[in-house]
Short mmCIF file of all heavy atoms in Angstrom, two decimals:
data_model
loop_
_atom_site.label_atom_id
_atom_site.label_comp_id
_atom_site.label_asym_id
_atom_site.label_seq_id
_atom_site.Cartn_x
_atom_site.Cartn_y
_atom_site.Cartn_z
N LEU A 1 24.81 -33.05 19.81
CA LEU A 1 23.91 -33.95 19.04
C LEU A 1 24.43 -35.30 18.97
O LEU A 1 23.81 -36.29 19.05
CB LEU A 1 23.68 -33.36 17.64
CG LEU A 1 22.94 -32.02 17.67
CD1 LEU A 1 22.77 -31.50 16.23
CD2 LEU A 1 21.51 -32.15 18.24
N SER A 2 25.74 -35.44 18.67
CA SER A 2 26.38 -36.73 18.38
C SER A 2 26.26 -37.64 19.64
O SER A 2 26.10 -38.80 19.57
CB SER A 2 27.82 -36.52 18.04
OG SER A 2 28.40 -37.78 17.72
N SER A 3 26.42 -37.02 20.85
CA SER A 3 26.41 -37.81 22.09
C SER A 3 24.94 -38.42 22.37
O SER A 3 24.85 -39.31 23.22
CB SER A 3 26.91 -37.03 23.21
OG SER A 3 25.99 -35.90 23.56
N SER A 4 23.99 -37.84 21.65
CA SER A 4 22.64 -38.31 21.87
C SER A 4 22.25 -39.56 21.11
O SER A 4 21.28 -40.22 21.26
CB SER A 4 21.64 -37.17 21.46
OG SER A 4 21.83 -36.05 22.31
N ILE A 5 23.09 -39.89 20.09
CA ILE A 5 22.94 -41.07 19.23
C ILE A 5 23.57 -42.27 19.90
O ILE A 5 24.70 -42.39 20.28
CB ILE A 5 23.60 -40.84 17.85
CG1 ILE A 5 23.21 -39.59 17.23
CG2 ILE A 5 23.37 -42.09 17.06
CD1 ILE A 5 21.72 -39.48 16.92
N PHE A 6 22.62 -43.31 20.19
CA PHE A 6 23.12 -44.50 20.84
C PHE A 6 23.87 -45.44 19.91
O PHE A 6 24.90 -45.91 20.26
CB PHE A 6 21.93 -45.20 21.47
CG PHE A 6 22.23 -46.43 22.19
CD1 PHE A 6 23.04 -46.45 23.43
CD2 PHE A 6 21.86 -47.72 21.74
CE1 PHE A 6 23.31 -47.60 24.05
CE2 PHE A 6 22.18 -48.90 22.37
CZ PHE A 6 22.95 -48.81 23.56
N ILE A 7 23.32 -45.59 18.77
CA ILE A 7 23.92 -46.52 17.80
C ILE A 7 23.71 -45.82 16.44
O ILE A 7 22.63 -45.50 16.01
CB ILE A 7 23.22 -47.97 17.70
CG1 ILE A 7 23.40 -48.65 19.09
CG2 ILE A 7 23.76 -48.75 16.58
CD1 ILE A 7 22.65 -49.95 19.15
N TRP A 8 24.76 -45.79 15.67
CA TRP A 8 24.72 -45.30 14.27
C TRP A 8 24.37 -46.39 13.29
O TRP A 8 24.93 -47.56 13.46
CB TRP A 8 26.01 -44.67 13.82
CG TRP A 8 26.39 -43.39 14.60
CD1 TRP A 8 27.07 -43.32 15.78
CD2 TRP A 8 25.96 -42.06 14.30
NE1 TRP A 8 27.15 -41.95 16.14
CE2 TRP A 8 26.44 -41.24 15.22
CE3 TRP A 8 25.24 -41.54 13.22
CZ2 TRP A 8 26.21 -39.84 15.20
CZ3 TRP A 8 24.97 -40.16 13.13
CH2 TRP A 8 25.52 -39.34 14.13
N GLN A 9 23.39 -46.22 12.55
CA GLN A 9 22.92 -47.26 11.53
C GLN A 9 23.15 -46.73 10.19
O GLN A 9 22.88 -45.60 9.81
CB GLN A 9 21.41 -47.49 11.79
CG GLN A 9 21.11 -48.09 13.05
CD GLN A 9 21.56 -49.55 13.22
OE1 GLN A 9 21.58 -50.32 12.25
NE2 GLN A 9 22.01 -49.85 14.41
N HIS A 10 23.69 -47.72 9.28
CA HIS A 10 23.86 -47.37 7.92
C HIS A 10 22.77 -48.13 7.14
O HIS A 10 22.61 -49.32 7.27
CB HIS A 10 25.24 -47.79 7.42
CG HIS A 10 25.41 -47.56 5.97
ND1 HIS A 10 25.65 -46.34 5.39
CD2 HIS A 10 25.47 -48.45 4.92
CE1 HIS A 10 25.76 -46.44 4.09
NE2 HIS A 10 25.58 -47.70 3.82
N PHE A 11 22.00 -47.37 6.32
CA PHE A 11 20.92 -48.05 5.58
C PHE A 11 21.35 -47.98 4.06
O PHE A 11 21.91 -47.05 3.59
CB PHE A 11 19.64 -47.27 5.68
CG PHE A 11 19.09 -47.35 7.05
CD1 PHE A 11 19.30 -46.36 8.03
CD2 PHE A 11 18.19 -48.38 7.39
CE1 PHE A 11 18.80 -46.46 9.29
CE2 PHE A 11 17.70 -48.51 8.66
CZ PHE A 11 18.00 -47.57 9.55
N THR A 12 21.09 -49.16 3.42
CA THR A 12 21.36 -49.29 1.97
C THR A 12 20.01 -49.37 1.28
O THR A 12 19.00 -49.64 1.89
CB THR A 12 22.24 -50.50 1.74
OG1 THR A 12 21.51 -51.70 2.18
CG2 THR A 12 23.52 -50.42 2.39
N ARG A 13 20.04 -49.07 -0.04
CA ARG A 13 18.88 -49.11 -0.83
C ARG A 13 18.34 -50.59 -0.91
O ARG A 13 19.21 -51.51 -0.88
CB ARG A 13 19.12 -48.72 -2.28
CG ARG A 13 19.45 -47.24 -2.32
CD ARG A 13 19.67 -46.81 -3.81
NE ARG A 13 20.07 -45.43 -3.82
CZ ARG A 13 19.29 -44.34 -3.78
NH1 ARG A 13 17.99 -44.58 -3.79
NH2 ARG A 13 19.74 -43.10 -3.85
N LEU A 14 17.03 -50.77 -1.06
CA LEU A 14 16.50 -52.08 -1.25
C LEU A 14 16.86 -52.58 -2.64
O LEU A 14 16.85 -51.81 -3.59
CB LEU A 14 15.02 -52.03 -1.09
CG LEU A 14 14.42 -51.57 0.22
CD1 LEU A 14 12.88 -51.34 0.11
CD2 LEU A 14 14.70 -52.63 1.22
N THR A 15 17.16 -53.85 -2.72
CA THR A 15 17.39 -54.49 -4.04
C THR A 15 15.97 -54.67 -4.68
O THR A 15 14.95 -54.63 -4.05
CB THR A 15 18.01 -55.88 -3.97
OG1 THR A 15 17.17 -56.73 -3.24
CG2 THR A 15 19.38 -55.76 -3.14
N PRO A 16 16.05 -54.87 -6.02
CA PRO A 16 14.73 -55.14 -6.70
C PRO A 16 13.86 -56.32 -6.03
O PRO A 16 12.65 -56.20 -5.97
CB PRO A 16 15.08 -55.36 -8.15
CG PRO A 16 16.35 -54.54 -8.33
CD PRO A 16 17.07 -54.70 -7.09
N ASP A 17 14.57 -57.31 -5.68
CA ASP A 17 13.94 -58.47 -5.06
C ASP A 17 13.34 -58.05 -3.69
O ASP A 17 12.22 -58.46 -3.32
CB ASP A 17 14.77 -59.68 -4.95
CG ASP A 17 15.15 -60.30 -6.26
OD1 ASP A 17 14.35 -60.19 -7.18
OD2 ASP A 17 16.20 -61.01 -6.40
N GLU A 18 14.13 -57.30 -2.99
CA GLU A 18 13.63 -56.84 -1.68
C GLU A 18 12.43 -55.96 -1.76
O GLU A 18 11.41 -56.00 -0.96
CB GLU A 18 14.69 -56.15 -0.92
CG GLU A 18 15.80 -57.04 -0.44
CD GLU A 18 17.03 -56.30 0.19
OE1 GLU A 18 17.31 -55.13 -0.25
OE2 GLU A 18 17.70 -56.88 1.02
N VAL A 19 12.41 -55.00 -2.81
CA VAL A 19 11.32 -54.23 -3.04
C VAL A 19 10.01 -55.00 -3.31
O VAL A 19 8.94 -54.73 -2.65
CB VAL A 19 11.61 -53.26 -4.22
CG1 VAL A 19 10.31 -52.56 -4.75
CG2 VAL A 19 12.63 -52.28 -3.88
N LEU A 20 10.12 -56.06 -4.11
CA LEU A 20 8.97 -56.84 -4.38
C LEU A 20 8.46 -57.67 -3.21
O LEU A 20 7.34 -58.05 -3.07
CB LEU A 20 9.25 -57.81 -5.55
CG LEU A 20 9.30 -57.12 -6.94
CD1 LEU A 20 9.76 -58.15 -7.99
CD2 LEU A 20 8.03 -56.50 -7.25
N GLU A 21 9.35 -57.96 -2.26
CA GLU A 21 9.03 -58.65 -1.04
C GLU A 21 8.47 -57.69 0.04
O GLU A 21 7.51 -57.98 0.68
CB GLU A 21 10.25 -59.30 -0.44
CG GLU A 21 10.03 -60.14 0.73
CD GLU A 21 11.30 -60.87 1.27
OE1 GLU A 21 12.21 -61.10 0.47
OE2 GLU A 21 11.26 -61.23 2.42
N VAL A 22 9.17 -56.49 0.28
CA VAL A 22 8.85 -55.65 1.30
C VAL A 22 7.69 -54.71 1.08
O VAL A 22 6.85 -54.45 1.96
CB VAL A 22 10.04 -54.82 1.76
CG1 VAL A 22 9.83 -53.75 2.80
CG2 VAL A 22 11.18 -55.83 2.30
N ILE A 23 7.65 -54.04 -0.11
CA ILE A 23 6.71 -52.99 -0.34
C ILE A 23 5.20 -53.43 -0.28
O ILE A 23 4.39 -52.77 0.31
CB ILE A 23 7.03 -52.31 -1.66
CG1 ILE A 23 8.39 -51.60 -1.63
CG2 ILE A 23 5.92 -51.35 -2.06
CD1 ILE A 23 8.58 -50.66 -0.48
N PRO A 24 4.81 -54.63 -0.73
CA PRO A 24 3.44 -54.98 -0.56
C PRO A 24 3.07 -55.19 0.93
O PRO A 24 1.93 -55.13 1.28
CB PRO A 24 3.40 -56.36 -1.29
CG PRO A 24 4.46 -56.28 -2.30
CD PRO A 24 5.58 -55.55 -1.64
N LEU A 25 4.01 -55.43 1.82
CA LEU A 25 3.75 -55.51 3.24
C LEU A 25 3.78 -54.17 3.92
O LEU A 25 3.32 -54.00 5.02
CB LEU A 25 4.80 -56.43 3.86
CG LEU A 25 4.92 -57.86 3.31
CD1 LEU A 25 6.11 -58.60 3.93
CD2 LEU A 25 3.63 -58.57 3.58
N PHE A 26 4.37 -53.12 3.24
CA PHE A 26 4.55 -51.90 3.85
C PHE A 26 3.24 -51.13 3.98
O PHE A 26 3.02 -50.52 4.98
CB PHE A 26 5.53 -51.03 2.96
CG PHE A 26 5.57 -49.56 3.21
CD1 PHE A 26 5.90 -49.05 4.50
CD2 PHE A 26 5.29 -48.67 2.19
CE1 PHE A 26 5.93 -47.69 4.75
CE2 PHE A 26 5.26 -47.32 2.42
CZ PHE A 26 5.61 -46.83 3.69
N HIS A 27 2.33 -51.21 2.95
CA HIS A 27 1.15 -50.39 2.99
C HIS A 27 0.12 -51.09 2.18
O HIS A 27 0.41 -51.75 1.15
CB HIS A 27 1.37 -49.03 2.48
CG HIS A 27 0.23 -48.13 2.75
ND1 HIS A 27 -0.89 -48.07 1.97
CD2 HIS A 27 0.07 -47.18 3.79
CE1 HIS A 27 -1.80 -47.25 2.46
NE2 HIS A 27 -1.20 -46.67 3.57
N PRO A 28 -1.20 -51.16 2.60
CA PRO A 28 -2.21 -51.81 1.86
C PRO A 28 -2.31 -51.40 0.36
O PRO A 28 -2.77 -52.19 -0.49
CB PRO A 28 -3.56 -51.51 2.61
CG PRO A 28 -3.01 -51.16 4.00
CD PRO A 28 -1.59 -50.59 3.87
N VAL A 29 -1.97 -50.10 0.11
CA VAL A 29 -2.03 -49.72 -1.32
C VAL A 29 -1.22 -50.68 -2.19
O VAL A 29 -1.61 -50.90 -3.36
CB VAL A 29 -1.40 -48.20 -1.41
CG1 VAL A 29 -1.09 -47.94 -2.88
CG2 VAL A 29 -2.42 -47.26 -0.87
N TRP A 30 -0.19 -51.20 -1.73
CA TRP A 30 0.72 -52.01 -2.49
C TRP A 30 0.39 -53.49 -2.41
O TRP A 30 0.90 -54.29 -3.13
CB TRP A 30 2.13 -51.73 -2.19
CG TRP A 30 2.49 -50.29 -2.18
CD1 TRP A 30 2.87 -49.48 -1.21
CD2 TRP A 30 2.54 -49.53 -3.40
NE1 TRP A 30 3.10 -48.20 -1.65
CE2 TRP A 30 2.96 -48.22 -2.99
CE3 TRP A 30 2.42 -49.80 -4.81
CZ2 TRP A 30 3.04 -47.12 -3.88
CZ3 TRP A 30 2.56 -48.73 -5.66
CH2 TRP A 30 2.91 -47.38 -5.21
N ALA A 31 -0.47 -53.91 -1.46
CA ALA A 31 -0.76 -55.35 -1.13
C ALA A 31 -1.18 -56.02 -2.33
O ALA A 31 -0.88 -57.16 -2.62
CB ALA A 31 -1.68 -55.39 0.00
N ASP A 32 -2.16 -55.36 -3.12
CA ASP A 32 -2.70 -56.06 -4.29
C ASP A 32 -2.30 -55.42 -5.62
O ASP A 32 -2.85 -55.76 -6.72
CB ASP A 32 -4.23 -56.10 -4.26
CG ASP A 32 -4.90 -54.71 -4.26
OD1 ASP A 32 -4.10 -53.71 -4.17
OD2 ASP A 32 -6.14 -54.62 -4.52
N ALA A 33 -1.24 -54.63 -5.52
CA ALA A 33 -0.69 -54.08 -6.73
C ALA A 33 0.04 -55.12 -7.59
O ALA A 33 0.58 -55.99 -7.07
CB ALA A 33 0.29 -52.97 -6.39
N ASP A 34 0.00 -54.96 -8.91
CA ASP A 34 0.71 -55.92 -9.76
C ASP A 34 2.15 -55.74 -9.53
O ASP A 34 2.66 -54.56 -9.43
CB ASP A 34 0.35 -55.50 -11.19
CG ASP A 34 0.91 -56.35 -12.20
OD1 ASP A 34 2.04 -56.73 -12.16
OD2 ASP A 34 0.16 -56.74 -13.21
N PRO A 35 2.95 -56.81 -9.41
CA PRO A 35 4.39 -56.74 -9.22
C PRO A 35 5.05 -55.92 -10.31
O PRO A 35 6.03 -55.20 -10.02
CB PRO A 35 4.87 -58.16 -9.24
CG PRO A 35 3.67 -58.94 -8.79
CD PRO A 35 2.52 -58.16 -9.31
N ASP A 36 4.49 -55.89 -11.53
CA ASP A 36 5.11 -55.07 -12.56
C ASP A 36 4.92 -53.60 -12.36
O ASP A 36 5.85 -52.81 -12.67
CB ASP A 36 4.48 -55.37 -13.98
CG ASP A 36 4.82 -56.75 -14.50
OD1 ASP A 36 5.95 -57.32 -14.02
OD2 ASP A 36 4.16 -57.28 -15.32
N ASP A 37 3.81 -53.19 -11.67
CA ASP A 37 3.63 -51.83 -11.37
C ASP A 37 4.54 -51.37 -10.15
O ASP A 37 5.05 -50.28 -10.20
CB ASP A 37 2.11 -51.60 -11.02
CG ASP A 37 1.25 -51.67 -12.23
OD1 ASP A 37 1.67 -51.45 -13.31
OD2 ASP A 37 0.05 -51.99 -11.97
N ILE A 38 4.78 -52.34 -9.31
CA ILE A 38 5.74 -52.03 -8.17
C ILE A 38 7.11 -51.80 -8.74
O ILE A 38 7.89 -50.85 -8.39
CB ILE A 38 5.69 -53.09 -7.10
CG1 ILE A 38 4.31 -53.12 -6.40
CG2 ILE A 38 6.86 -52.92 -6.12
CD1 ILE A 38 4.13 -54.25 -5.45
N THR A 39 7.56 -52.70 -9.69
CA THR A 39 8.83 -52.59 -10.28
C THR A 39 8.88 -51.23 -11.12
O THR A 39 9.92 -50.58 -11.10
CB THR A 39 9.12 -53.86 -11.28
OG1 THR A 39 9.08 -54.94 -10.42
CG2 THR A 39 10.44 -53.70 -11.90
N PHE A 40 7.79 -50.95 -11.79
CA PHE A 40 7.83 -49.71 -12.59
C PHE A 40 7.99 -48.50 -11.63
O PHE A 40 8.78 -47.61 -11.90
CB PHE A 40 6.40 -49.58 -13.27
CG PHE A 40 6.22 -48.35 -14.05
CD1 PHE A 40 6.79 -48.13 -15.26
CD2 PHE A 40 5.34 -47.35 -13.47
CE1 PHE A 40 6.51 -46.93 -15.96
CE2 PHE A 40 5.05 -46.18 -14.16
CZ PHE A 40 5.68 -46.00 -15.46
#
């Protein structure tokens, strides 16, 4: 299995600022959501 992996990637959690920037772009459900609801 290991030999099938071309590049190992490490992912970190989104910061609160990144969440407010990325999540509205992720899916239309969040596009018009109140930023306070996204933070919640």
Side-chain angles (χ1 to χ4, degrees):
L1 295 174
S2 181
S3 66
S4 298
I5 307 297
F6 180 67
I7 296 173
W8 291 93
Q9 296 290 324
H10 177 74
F11 292 93
T12 58
R13 294 182 184 275
L14 298 170
T15 66
D17 288 338
E18 290 171 330
V19 166
L20 289 174
E21 181 180 340
V22 171
I23 296 306
L25 302 173
F26 166 60
H27 194 279
V29 164
W30 307 111
D32 66 347
D34 185 316
D36 289 339
D37 291 335
I38 293 173
T39 299
F40 176 77

